[in-house]
Amino acid sequence: MTILIDQPEFGVEAGFMVPQSNAFGHTFRDYHVESERQQVVENFYRTNHIIQTYDFVKRMRKEYGKLDKVEMSIWECCELLNDVVDESDPDLDEPQIEHLLQTAEAIRKDYPGEDWLHLTGLIHDLGKVLLHPSFGGLPQWADVGDTYPVGCAFDESIVHHKYFEENPDYHNSAYNTKYGVYSEGCGLNNVLMSWGHDDYMYLVAKENNTTLPSAALFIIRYHSFYALHRSGSYKQLMNEEDVENLKWLEIFNKYDLYSKSKDRIDVEKVKPYYVSLIEKYFPAKLRW
């Protein structure tokens, strides 16, 4: 089922005010400020960049694309994330369910008529459940952090790019050119991304026959692809549908990044609304 959505009104300022600093008093996505948290983040990216190869991603997609781990509802998955903290995030050390609700509620305030976007805000990071012991507890470097294409050159805009020099694909002539195994305008749907929660949640939503629009699936799959939506890299791989969906991702990114704070959301107060959206766009139980 395809749902048509109106294009966003670009140039119209929404009410959400971007804060000047993150929960630690630093600039958002500052990967160079010296702190104990930053050392954790840098160590994470070193491991991530060395191990995430084209062949590794193909193996992970094959394994986790089976969706044979468990059956549960969207909200049950949200509750599992109470136990998850993202080590790659320099801006927040709260449980992930806090971030999900902060993102969704900020979007809901500014775009009250786009209920699909509210739900996308709630579920966009649910793939981080792969870190949970009940899913086998993937290491952080295999589930979180910025994502990027594999199978072509690693763009220098990717955070902590220097560590790619230890990745076997960096020296492989089949994978280290501008297009690598891809072609101009091939479409991001045909590009393998580094493995993580984005691609996993995309697979979960798609294979469980969600009725969310394509823009929602694009946001879920590429919201951590900062080299694209922050730096403008890899646009040579995009097709026309990608160009249109990127407009919604750029809107979403503001709420994903800047709504992170120590302010708490009253979960029980907002739960009925989000449960109603889950029932609208998803089956009662999903394969994960």
Side-chain angles (χ1 to χ4, degrees), residues 36-245:
E36 183 177 344
R37 178 71 175 170
Q38 289 297 336
Q39 191 58 54
V40 170
V41 172
E42 182 163 354
N43 289 339
F44 160 88
Y45 275 110
R46 181 180 186 276
T47 305
N48 172 280
H49 290 355
I50 293 172
I51 299 179
Q52 292 263 5
T53 64
Y54 185 76
D55 288 340
F56 171 81
V57 171
K58 288 176 66 176
R59 291 196 305 270
M60 296 299 279
R61 284 195 113 236
K62 181 178 180 180
E63 171 61 26
Y64 286 93
K66 298 173 184 176
L67 303 181
D68 59 357
K69 308 305 178 189
V70 69
E71 285 194 7
M72 63 179 171
S73 70
I74 290 286
W75 192 262
E76 287 172 329
C77 187
C78 290
E79 292 178 332
L80 272 184
L81 289 191
N82 269 323
D83 301 325
V84 171
V85 173
D86 183 346
E87 290 181 1
S88 74
D89 192 342
D91 299 321
L92 192 68
D93 60 358
E94 297 292 333
Q96 285 300 297
I97 193 169
E98 295 288 333
H99 167 54
L100 299 181
L101 288 170
Q102 288 170 349
T103 304
E105 284 293 280
I107 293 171
R108 182 182 176 189
K109 182 177 180 181
D110 285 352
Y111 293 89
E114 308 288 354
D115 67 354
W116 66 271
L117 194 58
H118 311 164
L119 182 57
T120 303
L122 180 72
I123 70 172
H124 73 284
D125 273 349
L126 289 189
K128 292 180 181 180
V129 74
L130 291 179
L131 300 173
H132 197 275
S134 64
F135 276 72
L138 273 184
Q140 295 255 346
W141 59 263
D143 190 40
V144 299
D146 288 11
T147 57
Y148 43 86
V150 293
C152 60
F154 301 115
D155 191 84
E156 291 188 0
S157 63
I158 302 170
V159 64
H160 291 304
H161 177 272
K162 61 185 177 182
Y163 294 120
F164 284 120
E165 294 181 14
E166 300 178 64
N167 183 307
D169 289 359
Y170 185 88
H171 305 282
N172 187 329
S173 60
Y175 302 139
N176 65 6
T177 62
K178 180 178 180 179
Y179 292 104
V181 300
Y182 310 114
S183 59
E184 184 174 7
C186 64
L188 294 180
N189 191 51
N190 295 306
V191 174
L192 280 186
M193 300 294 294
S194 56
W195 177 252
H197 69 280
D198 306 58
D199 204 21
Y200 176 63
M201 188 58 207
Y202 163 77
L203 292 173
V204 169
K206 178 174 175 288
E207 297 304 318
N208 282 282
N209 299 314
T210 181
T211 56
L212 284 169
S214 65
L217 294 177
F218 188 91
I219 288 169
I220 291 168
R221 195 175 193 182
Y222 303 113
H223 68 272
S224 300
F225 190 5
Y226 278 88
L228 171 66
H229 59 75
R230 175 60 66 87
S231 303
S233 305
Y234 297 104
K235 287 188 174 181
Q236 70 272 14
L237 302 176
M238 297 171 64
N239 60 24
E240 291 182 5
E241 184 178 10
D242 295 330
V243 172
E244 292 304 307
N245 285 333

Side-chain angles (χ1 to χ4, degrees), residues 18-44:
V18 175
Q20 297 301 307
S21 60
N22 64 19
F24 303 104
H26 301 142
T27 303
F28 282 89
R29 286 183 60 83
D30 186 341
Y31 290 94
H32 303 290
V33 63
E34 293 187 11
S35 69
E36 183 177 344
R37 178 71 175 170
Q38 289 297 336
Q39 191 58 54
V40 170
V41 172
E42 182 163 354
N43 289 339
F44 160 88

Side-chain angles (χ1 to χ4, degrees), residues 9-25:
E9 295 183 40
F10 299 105
V12 177
E13 286 293 323
F16 180 73
M17 298 296 293
V18 175
Q20 297 301 307
S21 60
N22 64 19
F24 303 104

